[in-house]
């Protein structure tokens, strides 16, 4: 049974930084990449930052390029998301997911999810 636990969210002012972490346990195949997604109220879940299927490249949503950085610790089977220069439009629940196939930019390609961590950015 795969379990993902996100942490690090909170309420911050615009321009502040947060670092999110996702710890995985019980993974059948630790070679499958994990990635970060977010979902705002009334909107679809969207890609924030993910690793490629091969694990050697990263992809970022245009809205976060230059501000967010995804990283991983393979030994601990965790990933992190460093978020700088936060904006009110970054407000959402942030989720960690495990990639199930090669479509790393497609939320539907992820077959395991954490419960999410709330990020709220005030103006």
């Amino acid at each position: 049974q795969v379990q993902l636990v996100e942490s690090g969210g909170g309420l911050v002012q615009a321009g502040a930084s947060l670092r999110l972490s996702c710890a995985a346990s019980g993974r059948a195949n630790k070679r499958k990449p994990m990635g970060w997604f977010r979902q705002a109220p009334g909107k679809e879940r969207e890609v924030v930052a993910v690793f490629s299927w091969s694990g050697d490249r990263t992809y970022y949503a245009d809205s976060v390029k230059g501000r967010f950085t995804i990283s991983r610790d393979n030994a601990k089977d965790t990933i992190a998301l460093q978020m700088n220069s936060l904006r009110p439009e970054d407000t959402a629940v942030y989720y960690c997911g495990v990639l199930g196939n090669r479509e790393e930019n497609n939320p539907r390609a992820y077959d395991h999810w954490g419960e999410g961590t709330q990020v709220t950015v005030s103006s």
Side-chain angles (χ1 to χ4, degrees), residues 2 15 26 50 56 60 88 117:
V2 177
V50 300
D56 60 350
Y60 295 90
T117 184

Side-chain angles (χ1 to χ4, degrees), residues 44-119:
E44 297 292 323
R45 188 167 300 186
E46 64 178 2
V47 171
V48 176
V50 300
F51 288 101
S52 66
W53 174 255
S54 61
D56 60 350
R57 293 183 295 276
T58 56
Y59 300 98
Y60 295 90
D62 288 340
S63 61
V64 308
K65 287 181 179 178
R67 299 188 298 122
F68 292 8
T69 303
I70 187 172
S71 61
R72 65 189 175 198
D73 185 332
N74 291 329
K76 298 180 180 179
D77 199 19
T78 63
I79 62 169
L81 183 69
Q82 179 65 44
M83 305 185 295
N84 298 326
S85 302
L86 283 163
R87 305 166 180 170
E89 52 263 42
D90 294 318
T91 296
V93 177
Y94 284 71
Y95 297 92
C96 175
V98 176
L99 185 62
N101 56 48
R102 297 179 180 274
E103 301 176 27
E104 58 266 6
N105 290 312
N106 180 7
R108 296 182 182 273
Y110 291 73
D111 52 18
H112 297 286
W113 298 96
E115 293 297 320
T117 184
Q118 177 71 48
V119 172

